[in-house]
Amino acid sequence: MSRKNKVIETYGLWFLDLLGIGISFLLSTYIRFGNFRDMGDKEVHFQVCLAFLLFCTIYSFFLDWNRNFLRRNIWKEGMAVLQYSAYMFLIVEGIMYFLKWADVFSRLTMIYFVIINTLFTFLLHCGYKKMLRRSFSSDKSVIKIMIITESNLIEETVQRLRAELGINYQIVALGCIGEKYNADSFDGIPVVEQQEIIHMTTTMALDEVFISAPSVAQNSVEYLLHSFGEMGVDCHYNLEVPGMSGERGRIENFGDYTVVTYTRFQSSYKRMVIKRAIDILGGFVGLMITALFFPFVALAIRLDSPGPVLFSQTRIGRNGRRFKIYKFRSMYLDAEERKKELEKQNEMQGLMFKIENDPRITKVGRFIRKTSIDELPQFYNVMKGDMSLVGTRPPTEDEFEKYNQYYRRRISMTPGLTGLWQVSGRSDIEDFDDVVKYDLKYIDSWSLLLDFKILLQTIKVVFTGKGSK
């Protein structure tokens, strides 16, 4: 399991277990006394509840009782919860006896609590497990991986990784090093020969690469490591020596392999979870603002020119995933057809297209572009997780098809509603390579503080209209 998903699983379970204790304790108290006034010594009563919460925290993080959570079937889950409840009862009872809380705390309340909390925790775990399995195996969350290995190790490597990595990994391609593999695919997975690996991966949806070539000299795969590093694709290189067993190095584990992982993006997954939480909050607020503007903008667009109010287009998201981006329509319906006629007037060097006084833009379109109102529907993309409040610019499909290894790295992070290049005078930038430089600078120096600064600068840019044409 990836570190990000492990953090989500661990902290989610901890929160649910704490929630289960709190609700179960309140229910058992109410069932026993019929109210929350006649429980005796209230201070002791709630100190017992704190003892349960403290035990839950220690048991979860120090003993890690949920480390095989997703692999446990319903029977094993029930036994794990029963064991957790039994230890909780024994430890807290021991504390109560030592501190003489047992003399004033209702034994019937304790019995009710153990029964209710055991059942409630079991139900919460089953529901959370179902949700995680569905989420981790979805196309947005699944980690798309390419395996690069020798022809005689393809079957073994695929089987080992499938057994160990779990549902949130999907093997999308196999690269063969050394002797040629005698088929175009293995178990439905396409096999690519060594000379075609980089060319194929440049324009495919890919998150990580695993290289296991024990019979091949390391300098023979050096160019692969450099190439994937340029693309911003995490690369795991197997360090195991065939036939060796016993203790392994602890650089990092990938499945049951020991690997050294090369990545250009260094950040804590905890901070990434915080970033996503901020996106959800910001996306919700943004959608409320969009709802307020929608009737007026929709009316203006329909009166100005025929066609739909909203414009949608397929864009490229994190690591090559396709998604539909939404905006208020600011151009005439034949804008895409007329683009071909205007290619010679392109003022942007490189893969992007931009001309001043674009004739395809409507009168209302010029206003909503100048004020960035046209981008308000993208808060829906932020809520869905296709985009972030702050990130890199999402490229179009035809732009992405022309990418090289250097350009590819800019999609190694979730694209954003705003970003470093947008607040750095986006209309004054006339070279696509400069856009890429800003995006890569953002990726390499990312922090929550940087996101906050960019958001503040974006507000300033929107209200002053600076850098927007």
Side-chain angles (χ1 to χ4, degrees):
M1 179 182 294
S2 67
R3 285 181 294 171
K4 178 183 73 173
N5 289 347
K6 185 63 179 176
V7 167
I8 293 172
E9 178 188 300
T10 301
Y11 284 90
L13 281 170
W14 175 50
F15 173 77
L16 288 178
D17 290 343
L18 293 179
L19 181 67
I21 289 173
I23 294 175
S24 300
F25 195 81
L26 290 174
L27 282 175
S28 59
T29 300
Y30 191 82
I31 292 172
R32 169 62 180 87
F33 298 103
N35 56 63
F36 297 106
R37 299 186 305 273
D38 303 326
M39 61 187 71
D41 192 327
K42 294 182 180 180
E43 183 178 348
V44 169
H45 197 81
F46 287 108
Q47 283 174 342
V48 172
C49 183
L50 288 176
F52 285 131
L53 297 173
L54 180 61
F55 170 85
C56 171
T57 301
I58 294 174
Y59 197 74
S60 295
F61 289 100
F62 287 86
L63 298 181
D64 194 21
W65 72 291
N66 287 315
R67 58 184 173 273
N68 295 318
F69 176 68
L70 288 177
R71 296 185 182 182
R72 294 197 298 242
N73 58 31
I74 193 168
W75 169 254
K76 290 183 178 179
E77 188 63 47
M79 294 304 296
V81 171
L82 281 174
Q83 181 175 305
Y84 158 74
S85 296
Y87 280 132
M88 179 187 291
F89 171 78
L90 292 173
I91 296 298
V92 174
E93 270 290 317
I95 293 172
M96 291 172 61
Y97 179 80
F98 180 78
L99 297 177
K100 300 189 183 301
W101 291 348
D103 297 337
V104 293
F105 188 83
S106 169
R107 291 180 176 82
L108 200 53
T109 302
M110 176 65 78
I111 294 172
Y112 289 153
F113 171 80
V114 172
I115 295 172
I116 294 172
N117 186 61
T118 301
L119 293 174
F120 197 42
T121 300
F122 177 73
L123 292 175
L124 285 175
H125 278 214
C126 289
Y128 191 57
K129 185 179 298 185
K130 184 177 181 179
M131 186 194 76
L132 286 183
R133 284 175 173 168
R134 183 179 301 172
S135 175
F136 289 173
S137 60
S138 69
D139 188 65
K140 286 183 183 177
S141 300
V142 72
I143 298 173
K144 299 178 184 294
I145 180 174
M146 180 181 195
I147 297 174
I148 300 175
T149 188
E150 299 167 59
S151 60
N152 61 317
L153 296 177
I154 285 179
E155 182 176 355
E156 176 194 346
T157 308
V158 170
Q159 290 175 350
R160 284 183 66 180
L161 287 179
R162 278 180 171 171
E164 291 295 326
L165 292 179
I167 59 175
N168 62 311
Y169 279 87
Q170 178 187 6
I171 302 172
V172 296
L174 297 169
C176 185
I177 294 182
E179 293 183 11
K180 185 175 181 179
Y181 191 66
N182 57 7
D184 294 329
S185 65
F186 170 77
D187 199 17
I189 308 169
V191 177
V192 186
E193 294 303 320
Q194 185 171 352
Q195 63 271 21
E196 296 293 323
I197 289 174
I198 298 302
H199 175 72
M200 176 183 177
T201 54
T202 301
T203 56
M204 70 180 292
L206 184 68
D207 299 306
E208 298 178 11
V209 172
F210 174 73
I211 300 177
S212 177
S215 301
V216 177
Q218 290 184 349
N219 57 9
S220 297
V221 296
E222 183 179 357
Y223 83 97
L224 290 174
L225 299 176
H226 284 302
S227 297
F228 289 123
E230 279 291 309
M231 287 190 271
V233 177
D234 288 0
C235 190
H236 309 278
Y237 183 70
N238 179 25
L239 298 177
E240 283 191 353
V241 178
M244 295 294 289
S245 58
E247 298 204 0
R248 296 187 254 144
R250 293 296 175 184
I251 296 176
E252 189 170 80
N253 288 335
F254 188 78
D256 64 342
Y257 285 95
T258 301
V259 300
V260 54
T261 300
Y262 299 89
T263 179
R264 295 288 292 269
F265 181 70
Q266 301 287 342
S267 181
S268 163
Y269 282 106
K270 294 178 183 178
R271 290 199 293 272
M272 294 303 293
V273 170
I274 295 173
K275 179 178 173 68
R276 180 59 189 146
I278 294 172
D279 284 343
I280 293 172
L281 178 61
F284 177 77
V285 173
L287 284 178
M288 297 299 101
I289 297 173
T290 306
L292 293 175
F293 275 88
F294 192 91
F296 308 102
V297 178
L299 179 62
I301 291 173
R302 294 301 296 271
L303 290 175
D304 185 41
S305 64
V309 172
L310 293 176
F311 166 79
S312 67
Q313 185 183 48
T314 300
R315 292 292 184 96
I316 307 301
R318 182 177 62 87
N319 290 331
R321 288 169 170 80
R322 269 73 173 172
F323 71 97
K324 286 282 188 181
I325 196 172
Y326 297 94
K327 294 184 178 185
F328 283 122
R329 183 174 60 84
S330 61
M331 290 187 173
Y332 294 103
L333 290 180
D334 61 348
E336 287 301 315
E337 291 76 13
R338 295 174 65 185
K339 179 180 177 182
K340 297 177 182 178
E341 303 172 6
L342 300 169
E343 287 286 355
K344 294 181 180 179
Q345 302 178 40
N346 187 11
E347 300 170 0
M348 197 81 171
Q349 297 180 33
L351 304 184
M352 283 177 62
F353 177 81
K354 183 189 73 171
I355 59 174
E356 193 171 353
N357 299 320
D358 192 331
R360 302 172 302 158
I361 301 176
T362 64
K363 292 179 182 179
V364 171
R366 293 191 187 281
F367 174 76
I368 62 177
R369 281 189 168 212
K370 183 70 175 177
T371 56
S372 297
I373 291 174
D374 65 315
E375 298 184 0
L376 285 177
Q378 291 179 49
F379 281 111
Y380 175 66
N381 293 114
V382 174
M383 284 291 289
K384 286 177 62 182
D386 296 326
M387 297 178 68
S388 177
L389 290 177
V390 184
T392 58
R393 173 188 165 273
T396 60
E397 282 189 300
D398 59 340
E399 177 187 320
F400 181 58
E401 294 299 326
K402 301 171 186 175
Y403 270 21
N404 57 29
Q405 296 170 211
Y406 173 69
Y407 294 157
R408 160 85 196 210
R409 190 161 73 87
R410 66 191 295 269
I411 61 166
S412 61
M413 196 168 184
T414 303
L417 190 62
T418 185
L420 194 57
W421 82 277
Q422 286 96 328
V423 298
S424 302
R426 61 184 178 185
S427 292
D428 299 325
I429 297 175
E430 297 181 350
D431 193 328
F432 177 70
D433 284 348
D434 290 334
V435 176
V436 176
K437 287 178 184 177
Y438 277 116
D439 281 343
L440 296 187
K441 180 180 179 181
Y442 170 75
I443 293 172
D444 292 336
S445 56
W446 179 80
S447 67
L448 291 171
L449 180 60
L450 178 60
D451 275 7
F452 181 68
K453 289 179 179 178
I454 291 174
L455 285 173
L456 289 180
Q457 289 177 305
T458 300
I459 295 172
K460 179 181 177 182
V461 167
V462 169
F463 280 101
T464 61
K466 182 181 178 182
S468 178
K469 294 182 182 178

